[in-house]
Amino acid sequence: MPLQESSSSPDEALADPALSLPSMDACTHQDLRRMAANLAIPVEPVIEDTDPMVDILTEDTPARLALPLNKTVSKITNALWQTPATLTPTLKGAERRYYVPNSEHDYLYSQPNPGSLVVQAAAQKERLPQPGPSPKAREPKRLDLLGRKVYATGALQLRIANQQAMLSRYAFNTWQAVEKFRDRLPVEDCQEFTAVALEGKVISQTALQAALDTVDSAAHTMATGVVMRRGAWLHVSGIPPDVQHTIQDLPFEGKALFSEHTDSRLHTLKDTRSTLKSLGIHTPAPQRRHLPYRQQGRAQPQVPCGDYWRRRSWASGGSSRASAHPQGVRGRHRRPRTDTQHGGPHSPSHQGKPQF
């Protein structure tokens, strides 16, 4: 029986390339002294707190460098911060410079569709015939619009970082192709040419790592926008909070705002009438409770007190209280008087006496 082919290294068999991004040594990424010297910019070492007990373990580690913020970058940042509320999510010029195929990645150009049973439940709770692009309530609608801005910003960052990564790889391949001319140079220039080519490849690798870090940041930004929009719809839907937390943390697939597993989670609900109705499960409407006359918001007519009817009885010549006030004093029905109350023949005091 032939043996199955195995990986040449145990690490390759255990490592999953989909779980981690390709990374470079952080020390190499921070050691940019030559670049700073070429651009004539000052650098500062990053001061890190170290334990004097274990500082001997980091003696050979090069110091990290902090690069100053470019004047143009600072100028653009301060200009955009003047109107943060009315600021557009992306720059139109940048939108036209960075493109990817729209057929396969349309989620980078348009907002994800919020179609789900959550949206239908929210529409029923807001008494709308059809769900709208945003919730009707004021605060959830603002949150949804803010999430749209955040999502659009992350999508543009992702397209820019994608192009930066390709340009960095192209620069690395260019420096690698130039090395074939090294043997045609004079001997005195060969060593300097090799150093320049090596420096160019290191710069390309560093730029590639920066582009991948930008991709990671852009993906976080887009996910933040998705969570904000999901939270706006879930707040209006009336779904229990524990189920909201589960639905809000489902993976984003790039096609719709809510994951395809959202509806299957909602099928387990039994205490949200609007959601059950959207699922096609009939639930009887709760019976309206008839409130007292006073609690319905109407003024209840005041009944005159007993003194009023007593005075009226004396004024009318001793007429009965029942004729003057059918409900009696203070609106109560009184029992008619019997002979038992005045010691009549049927009272308890006369039942035990002998008859002579």
Side-chain angles (χ1 to χ4, degrees):
M1 181 177 180
L3 297 177
Q4 297 180 355
E5 296 182 358
S6 60
S7 176
S8 59
S9 174
D11 296 336
E12 295 179 1
L14 296 177
D16 187 359
L19 297 179
S20 60
L21 296 174
S23 59
M24 296 172 51
D25 188 6
C27 300
T28 306
H29 181 75
Q30 290 289 340
D31 192 8
L32 302 175
R33 292 184 178 88
R34 296 181 182 178
M35 182 197 69
N38 182 269
L39 299 177
I41 55 177
V43 294
E44 297 180 3
V46 178
I47 302 176
E48 299 180 354
D49 295 334
T50 58
D51 187 2
M53 184 63 65
V54 296
D55 57 355
I56 59 176
L57 300 178
T58 58
E59 287 183 352
D60 299 334
T61 302
R64 299 178 182 271
L65 300 179
L67 300 177
L69 192 64
N70 186 267
K71 293 182 179 180
T72 304
V73 175
S74 179
K75 183 178 179 180
I76 295 174
T77 303
N78 295 332
L80 294 177
W81 283 351
Q82 299 303 317
T83 56
T86 59
L87 186 65
T88 57
T90 58
L91 184 64
K92 297 300 181 182
E95 289 280 355
R96 301 186 184 98
R97 284 196 295 265
Y98 304 96
Y99 285 101
V100 295
N102 192 12
S103 58
E104 300 179 0
H105 308 284
D106 54 347
Y107 62 91
L108 295 176
Y109 297 97
S110 60
Q111 297 290 333
N113 184 15
S116 174
L117 294 178
V118 177
V119 182
Q120 297 180 15
Q124 290 185 6
K125 187 176 181 181
E126 292 182 338
R127 299 180 180 180
L128 298 177
Q130 294 293 335
S134 299
K136 183 180 178 181
R138 185 175 181 179
E139 294 301 329
K141 185 176 182 179
R142 288 183 176 179
L143 182 61
D144 181 79
L145 295 178
L146 182 59
R148 289 173 179 267
K149 287 186 176 183
V150 173
Y151 183 88
T153 303
L156 178 59
Q157 290 178 351
L158 186 60
R159 301 203 304 269
I160 295 175
N162 176 68
Q163 184 169 335
Q164 288 177 341
M166 294 182 179
L167 291 174
S168 300
R169 180 65 186 185
Y170 174 70
F172 182 84
N173 294 341
T174 301
W175 284 109
Q176 207 168 20
V178 169
E179 289 183 345
K180 65 182 180 180
F181 299 100
R182 179 179 54 186
D183 299 336
R184 302 180 183 181
L185 296 176
V187 179
E188 59 274 9
D189 298 334
C190 183
Q191 184 176 2
E192 183 178 359
F193 177 81
T194 303
V196 172
L198 180 61
E199 185 71 14
K201 291 194 291 185
V202 172
I203 293 175
S204 302
Q205 293 174 343
T206 307
L208 179 60
Q209 181 63 45
L212 295 179
D213 293 341
T214 306
V215 170
D216 184 80
S217 177
H220 279 78
T221 303
M222 294 179 65
T224 303
V226 170
V227 171
M228 294 173 65
R229 295 193 60 194
R230 285 182 179 180
W233 284 105
L234 289 170
H235 178 74
V236 184
S237 64
I239 298 176
D242 54 342
V243 183
Q244 290 186 19
H245 179 73
T246 303
I247 295 176
Q248 199 171 17
D249 202 30
L250 289 176
F252 176 58
E253 301 164 350
K255 301 178 182 179
L257 182 62
F258 291 94
S259 174
E260 60 180 5
H261 302 288
T262 303
D263 296 348
S264 61
R265 296 293 181 89
L266 293 178
H267 275 284
T268 60
L269 291 180
K270 296 182 180 180
D271 54 351
T272 304
R273 180 174 175 270
S274 58
T275 307
L276 292 176
K277 186 176 181 181
S278 64
L279 295 174
I281 303 175
H282 174 71
T283 54
Q287 297 181 358
R288 296 185 59 183
R289 182 180 178 184
H290 297 282
L291 299 177
Y293 194 78
R294 183 184 297 274
Q295 297 182 7
Q296 292 181 0
R298 302 177 181 177
Q300 185 176 3
Q302 297 182 358
V303 179
C305 60
D307 295 338
Y308 169 81
W309 297 109
R310 190 178 297 108
R311 292 193 300 270
R312 182 175 178 181
S313 176
W314 283 103
S316 59
S319 59
S320 62
R321 298 180 183 178
S323 61
H325 196 319
Q327 296 182 355
V329 181
R330 301 184 183 272
R332 297 180 182 178
H333 293 279
R334 291 196 173 186
R335 298 175 59 184
R337 294 183 177 180
T338 59
D339 295 338
T340 57
Q341 298 178 358
H342 300 279
H346 300 285
S347 62
S349 59
H350 293 277
Q351 291 179 0
K353 295 183 179 180
Q355 298 293 334
F356 297 100

